[in-house]
Amino acid sequence: MLSAVLLPAALGFLFGAFIGSFLNVCIHRLPRNESVVLPPSRCYSCGTQVQWYDNLPVISYLILRGRCRWCDAPFSIRYLLLEVSVGALSALVMWWAFSDPTAPAPWLLALGVSDGVARALAAAVILALAYLLVVSSFIDLEHSIIPDELTKPFQLAAPLLALGSGSVLGHHLLFDPSAWLLQRNILGAVVPTTATFVWSVLAVVAGVLLFLVLSLPLAKVIYGRFCPPEQRWRDEDHQGFRVGVLWFMAATGVSTAALLALVWWQPGGDDGGWWRMCAGHGALALFGSLVGWLSLYVVGLVGTIAFRRNAMGFGDVKFLAPIGAFLGPIGVLYAFFFAAMVGTVVGLPMRLLASQREIPFGPWLAVGAILALLWGPELHAWLFSQI
Ligand SMILES: [Zn+2]
């Protein structure tokens, strides 16, 4: 039984170390608008192309002692650290996917997909999320920006990808496992009829989108008036903000349409069961994305008025929405909570001791998301058992 978890974890480390090597390239080249595929890696000092046998993760770095084989120029320790930590992160995700009861998507199991395949799929989508978090975090650390090229497509894809793993349901299963996991009809456990489900989803989505539209002129006033002059938004800032909000609204529209199409189509008939589970799962992913966006967005608006300085990085808002799709509306709040905790406990002393510049919030959000994924449901269960 243990080997059924250890083997995937070991494979995860090996795979992750190779991916970590590739993510190094992404982190260096994406913010510079360079291709991540071509040209092949070169020594930044002498320009010699790095051969495959010098490009093996971890091992090559140790054999060459972190130096170029030809000109002896030192390579950044970040290469080694990233290969090891992405390997470890991948091993952790694989361990989670092959041991956690909430990892496989219940609708896939109801569809007749085997437990092993459903867990492998859960591992694949969560690894995709984890790698996005790593790349975004390191770019954010270096350049204090999370590129739109990463967050925008991911906002669109996240609610769909999230269907591949049960992580969205992790926190919800705890309310009443019998109603969520064991009952065939997830949707029926929450809302009694298909029509009620459709109207509930439409009402929530329409309400949030209306709020976002109405908030645009409000944000213009707040970020124009309440910030100190050097932080005050210029016209192109407002323009970029508007485009970002509209993009999220469009992405939300796409996943809402897909969700309602599934409910309307009802593949396999009304007693098919799996599509109801899939629709309930999809609705939680959609709501998670909305809560992820709204939580930081509203904190930013209110905080800017309260503290009279720009309290929101808009990149973080765009970043937390796709995280929310994978964690659901409750899980994403834990991610936010963990991010604030870790950011305070680790980040504040780092700033004071090393007198570093302000550390961006993106990396803490990524750490919070991983913590909420792996241990959020346990914390949630513990909190609710105390009440
Ligand atoms: Zn060299």
Side-chain angles (χ1 to χ4, degrees):
M1 192 60 223
L2 192 64
S3 66
V5 176
L6 281 182
L7 183 66
L11 286 174
F13 184 86
L14 203 64
F15 176 71
F18 273 98
I19 292 288
S21 180
F22 173 67
L23 296 188
N24 267 315
V25 177
C26 295
I27 290 163
H28 184 80
R29 294 189 185 177
L30 274 178
R32 293 170 176 84
N33 283 321
E34 295 169 7
S35 161
V36 294
V37 189
L38 289 168
S41 299
R42 285 170 189 284
C43 168
Y44 294 116
S45 180
C46 66
T48 313
Q49 190 175 319
V50 179
Q51 296 300 315
W52 66 269
Y53 50 81
D54 284 342
N55 213 1
L56 296 172
V58 185
I59 300 164
S60 293
Y61 195 96
L62 295 178
I63 288 177
L64 297 173
R65 294 192 189 140
R67 288 174 180 278
C68 171
R69 180 186 287 274
W70 310 107
C71 73
D72 225 27
F75 290 132
S76 164
I77 187 81
R78 196 189 74 193
Y79 291 94
L80 179 66
L81 288 179
L82 202 71
E83 285 161 5
V84 171
S85 52
V86 172
L89 181 62
S90 306
L92 208 57
V93 169
M94 290 292 272
W95 163 76
W96 170 84
F98 284 88
S99 68
D100 196 291
T102 67
W107 71 273
L108 281 173
L109 301 177
L111 193 57
V113 172
S114 75
D115 184 70
V117 172
R119 285 181 185 278
L121 191 66
V125 296
I126 297 300
L127 283 176
L129 171 71
Y131 298 151
L132 181 97
L133 295 178
V134 169
V135 171
S136 307
S137 297
F138 277 86
I139 293 177
D140 200 12
L141 276 174
E142 200 172 327
H143 303 273
S144 290
I145 191 170
I146 305 174
D148 277 353
E149 288 82 357
L150 291 174
T151 54
K152 281 188 172 173
F154 216 55
Q155 283 173 27
L156 204 57
L160 193 71
L161 284 178
L163 290 177
S165 130
S167 60
V168 180
L169 304 165
H171 301 262
H172 297 267
L173 291 168
L174 297 158
F175 286 126
D176 182 7
S178 62
W180 284 94
L181 191 59
L182 303 177
Q183 225 178 52
R184 190 170 56 84
N185 186 345
I186 278 192
L187 207 158
V190 194
V191 280
T193 66
T194 307
T196 326
F197 174 82
V198 169
W199 286 116
S200 317
V201 169
L202 279 177
V204 171
V205 171
V208 171
L209 296 193
L210 186 68
F211 169 78
L212 287 183
V213 169
L214 294 178
S215 74
L216 282 176
L218 184 72
K220 186 162 188 173
V221 173
I222 291 175
Y223 290 107
R225 192 174 297 170
F226 288 92
C227 295
E230 72 277 6
Q231 288 184 351
R232 218 162 270 173
W233 282 13
R234 288 159 308 187
D235 277 347
E236 60 260 39
D237 295 325
H238 290 296
Q239 179 64 22
F241 182 72
R242 224 173 358 246
V243 170
V245 170
L246 289 178
W247 176 275
F248 178 68
M249 292 175 66
T252 302
V254 169
S255 40
T256 308
L259 181 63
L260 296 183
L262 176 72
V263 175
W264 178 76
W265 178 34
Q266 303 195 348
D270 192 27
D271 43 40
W274 70 266
W275 68 265
R276 285 175 175 271
M277 286 180 152
C278 186
H281 191 151
L284 283 174
L286 182 61
F287 292 165
S289 161
L290 293 176
V291 169
W293 182 284
L294 280 181
S295 51
L296 262 178
Y297 186 81
V298 172
V299 164
L301 291 180
V302 174
T304 301
I305 300 175
F307 301 115
R308 303 269 159 171
R309 64 184 191 86
N310 192 343
M312 175 186 66
F314 191 43
D316 297 332
V317 176
K318 291 186 271 193
F319 191 45
L320 193 55
I323 291 175
F326 285 89
L327 292 176
I330 297 175
V332 73
L333 292 179
Y334 281 101
F336 192 6
F337 168 74
F338 285 134
M341 292 283 289
V342 178
T344 311
V345 172
V346 183
L348 210 58
M350 264 169 77
R351 266 180 72 188
L352 293 176
L353 289 175
S355 65
Q356 253 180 332
R357 66 189 171 88
E358 198 157 350
I359 297 167
F361 196 46
W364 303 130
L365 282 177
V367 172
I370 297 293
L371 291 178
L373 176 83
L374 295 174
W375 292 290
E378 282 77 7
L379 178 72
H380 189 69
W382 180 80
L383 282 175
F384 272 77
S385 69
Q386 302 296 307
I387 295 169

